[in-house]
Amino acid sequence: DAGITQSPRHKVTETGTPVTLRCHQTENHRYMYWYRQDPGHGLRLIHYSYGVKDTDKGEVSDGYSVSRSKTEDFLLTLESATSSQTSVYFCAISDSGAGKNIQYFGAGTRLSVL
Amino acid sequence: GQNIDQPTEMTATEGAIVQINCTYQTSGFNGLFWYQQHAGEAPTFLSYNVLDGLEEKGRFSSFLSRSKGYSYLLLKELQMKDSASYLCAAVGEDSWGKFQFGAGTQVVVTP
C-alpha cells in the first residue's frame, strides 16, 4: 500500500463549524489531490497541489480551501461546513503530473454535516 | 464526471466474463485509467491505456480506441472477490494531472 494516511477517518459535525481534514504521505510524491465521492457522481476533484505552497482549484472547489506547507501534508478545510458537504473525501498522490500519472488513494474520510 | 459514461450496474456469474464499457469526451487526450473500488474502501489502480489497443494483465484486460473515445475493461474468470465498483477515468491534454472520473460500474458476481 502507498503510504497515505487520512485523518480523521470519520467525523460528524454541525452546520457552520470549521472542519480540517489531513492527508499525510510518506512517499515523497510531488502531487497531491483531494476528491469527494458522492452516489451518482463518482469522484470529483476539489483541489490539487503540484508542490509545496503550489495549489490549484478542481471542478468543485467552492466552499473548500487547501494548504500544503510540507511535501508530506495536504490539508483540506471547510471554513463553514454545510449539509451539502456531507460526503466521503479521498486524498490521492502521484509522482508524476503527466502521462502515466497513476494516482494512489488514501482510505478516505467519511464526513457528516448535520 | 459528465464527460465520462459507463453503465451503472452489471451482474455476471462466477467464472464468466464481463465487459465494462466506457465512453469519454476530453479536450485532447492524455490517458485512460481503470480503478477498482470495493465498498467502503479506496480506489486501487488496475490499468492504463494511452495508445490504441489491448493491454492484458492477468485476468483483467483494458482496450482503448482513441478515435472513438471508447474503452472497455474485460474481467475474465470472474471470482466472487471481483464484486466491486469499476471506475473509468480520462485525462485531457490540457487537464494536466486532473482525472475526469465516471460514476462507476457496480459489478455483482453471483455464485
Side-chain angles (χ1 to χ4, degrees):
Chain A
D1 290 348
I4 311 168
T5 304
Q6 291 187 232
S7 59
R9 292 293 316 280
H10 302 272
K11 186 169 183 66
V12 180
T13 191
E14 294 185 349
T15 299
T17 60
V19 176
T20 295
L21 309 183
R22 181 184 185 229
C23 179
H24 178 79
Q25 59 142 331
T26 58
E27 305 296 320
N28 200 36
H29 282 0
R30 178 179 172 186
Y31 305 94
M32 299 185 74
Y33 312 82
W34 275 109
Y35 291 89
R36 59 178 291 173
Q37 187 173 39
D38 305 288
H41 287 279
L43 286 157
R44 291 180 291 175
L45 183 66
I46 305 171
H47 281 279
Y48 64 99
S49 169
Y50 45 96
V52 174
K53 298 191 188 308
D54 291 324
T55 65
D56 206 347
K57 296 178 180 180
E59 68 175 295
V60 290
S61 59
D62 287 349
Y64 302 95
S65 61
V66 290
S67 66
R68 190 164 179 207
S69 58
K70 299 184 288 186
T71 297
E72 57 265 36
D73 289 326
F74 193 31
L75 304 181
L76 177 71
T77 297
L78 291 65
E79 301 290 348
S80 177
T82 67
S83 58
S84 65
Q85 294 176 312
T86 293
S87 186
V88 180
Y89 291 86
F90 286 100
C91 171
I93 65 174
S94 68
D95 62 0
S96 170
K100 191 177 180 180
N101 66 325
I102 299 169
Q103 294 188 15
Y104 300 94
F105 287 81
T109 295
R110 187 171 296 273
L111 176 67
S112 295
V113 183
L114 305 178
Chain B
Q2 58 186 14
N3 296 322
I4 311 291
D5 287 317
Q6 51 181 130
T8 303
E9 185 171 317
M10 303 181 74
T11 301
T13 306
E14 196 173 13
I17 298 172
V18 69
Q19 177 175 315
I20 307 168
N21 297 324
C22 171
T23 58
Y24 64 89
Q25 288 181 306
T26 56
S27 175
F29 181 75
N30 220 358
L32 192 292
F33 295 77
W34 284 96
Y35 281 77
Q36 179 191 59
Q37 186 177 24
H38 286 101
E41 298 184 7
T44 56
F45 170 75
L46 286 178
S47 69
Y48 168 77
N49 295 71
V50 68
L51 300 176
D52 286 355
L54 189 67
E55 294 280 343
E56 297 187 82
K57 192 183 296 184
R59 294 188 300 113
F60 292 2
S61 303
S62 57
F63 171 83
L64 176 69
S65 169
R66 294 177 59 151
S67 62
K68 295 181 179 178
Y70 167 71
S71 173
Y72 68 72
L73 180 69
L74 196 68
L75 285 62
K76 294 177 279 189
E77 301 169 20
L78 277 173
Q79 302 176 8
M80 297 300 291
K81 67 178 182 179
D82 296 330
S83 291
S85 183
Y86 292 84
L87 313 177
C88 173
V91 182
E93 187 174 62
D94 298 325
S95 302
W96 168 92
K98 293 187 283 187
F99 287 8
Q100 273 283 332
F101 277 93
T105 298
Q106 185 67 43
V107 171
V108 177
V109 182
T110 60

